[in-house]
Amino acid sequence: MEAEQEMTRRRVMVTFDVDGTLIRSTGSASNHLHRQAFAHAFLRVFGLQNATIDAVQVAAERLPDMKTEMLKYAREHVEEIGEGLEVLPGVASLLDALSSSNVVIGLVTGNLEEIAWMKMDGLGIRKYFTVPNFGGFGSDHIDRGHLVKIAADRAKELYPEGFDLRVHVGDTPNDIKAAEYGGALAIGVCTGVFTEEELKKSSCGSAIILSDLTDSKTFMNLLGIEG
């Protein structure tokens, strides 16, 4: 009976956006290390001070240099990774429940891959993610939709049998659009700056919008898994 249940268990893969979905910035030191790494890289590559992640559009041809400098700075200051960041309510419990149910869990984020995993490590939630770690990252492509596909391709290499359901969870319209473009069920969460209505409008109509990730049972039920 147990073997039969194992054979019929749904194969589910879930990817999460990072900032605004799993974690949030807090206080005057908001997302401290990431912002400092960006400012350091911009100074080293372009000779400009006080550049911010949000305000500057970097010339594409210099992106490899920017990434190199950002990672160098982040590695040298990794002990600061949790400063100005915190895990959002319910996230650790949900990740634990998914992991315990053999759901394959990865990331899809605009963060550089190494910095994304530094954040997961520093905030104590990397242990819940599938090993080997996988995902789609800003170091792979600038288009979020492609990142969903990249994550799926990497997961397929780890699990050649494929999945009955792929899901991407995020807090922005771009996450919703990316999920649908990448062939995943979109689950939006209102834990960032966008409202339920704004997230719904960004969808082709199939997205599911939650207020947050505090109700693990409801989330698991959406995946067809008993919570």
Side-chain angles (χ1 to χ4, degrees):
M1 183 66 175
E2 187 175 329
E4 185 177 334
Q5 288 177 340
E6 183 69 28
M7 289 179 64
T8 58
R9 181 179 294 163
R10 297 191 83 197
R11 293 168 300 193
V12 179
M13 166 188 159
V14 182
T15 56
F16 290 90
D17 170 54
V18 172
D19 299 291
T21 301
L22 295 177
I23 67 177
R24 65 185 170 198
S25 299
T26 61
S28 59
S30 172
N31 205 2
H32 171 75
L33 181 59
H34 203 170
R35 290 181 179 276
Q36 289 296 109
F38 184 89
H40 168 83
F42 210 84
L43 177 62
R44 291 297 299 268
V45 175
F46 294 102
L48 297 176
Q49 292 184 326
N50 302 320
T52 67
I53 296 173
D54 302 318
V56 181
Q57 183 173 358
V58 182
E61 65 271 13
R62 300 305 303 274
L63 279 177
D65 297 330
M66 285 287 297
K67 292 174 184 176
T68 298
E69 291 295 336
M70 283 186 71
L71 289 174
K72 180 180 178 182
Y73 183 93
R75 290 168 188 152
E76 291 173 351
H77 299 81
V78 67
E79 71 281 355
E80 301 172 16
I81 191 64
E83 189 174 342
L85 293 173
E86 66 181 9
V87 178
L88 279 159
V91 165
S93 295
L94 174 60
L95 291 176
D96 187 22
L98 292 172
S99 178
S100 298
S101 299
N102 296 313
V103 172
V104 175
I105 312 170
L107 295 175
V108 168
T109 171
N111 284 228
L112 301 183
E113 181 173 4
E114 191 170 342
I115 290 178
W117 292 119
M118 281 182 186
K119 289 180 179 181
M120 300 299 96
D121 255 333
L123 293 171
I125 56 176
R126 186 172 182 172
K127 61 187 177 184
Y128 300 118
F129 288 85
T130 299
V131 179
N133 295 147
F134 76 96
F137 304 91
S139 38
D140 296 318
H141 203 285
I142 61 173
D143 186 280
R144 188 67 62 102
H146 286 286
L147 299 187
V148 172
K149 291 186 175 182
I150 288 169
D153 289 343
R154 288 173 173 163
K156 188 72 180 294
E157 291 177 5
L158 299 173
Y159 301 90
E161 67 273 18
F163 301 95
D164 300 308
L165 175 66
R166 289 194 294 110
V167 177
H168 177 59
V169 186
D171 66 298
T172 73
N174 280 342
D175 288 307
I176 302 295
K177 293 174 183 177
E180 293 175 347
Y181 175 80
L185 171 65
I187 296 183
V189 288
C190 303
T191 47
V193 299
F194 294 96
T195 65
E196 179 179 358
E197 183 179 358
E198 288 171 322
L199 294 178
K200 283 182 176 178
K201 283 183 178 180
S202 66
S203 171
C204 296
S206 60
I208 297 168
I209 311 300
L210 303 175
S211 58
D212 53 38
L213 295 175
T214 58
D215 189 342
S216 296
K217 184 174 182 179
T218 293
F219 191 96
M220 301 286 279
N221 288 339
L222 290 175
L223 307 186
I225 301 171
E226 290 189 9

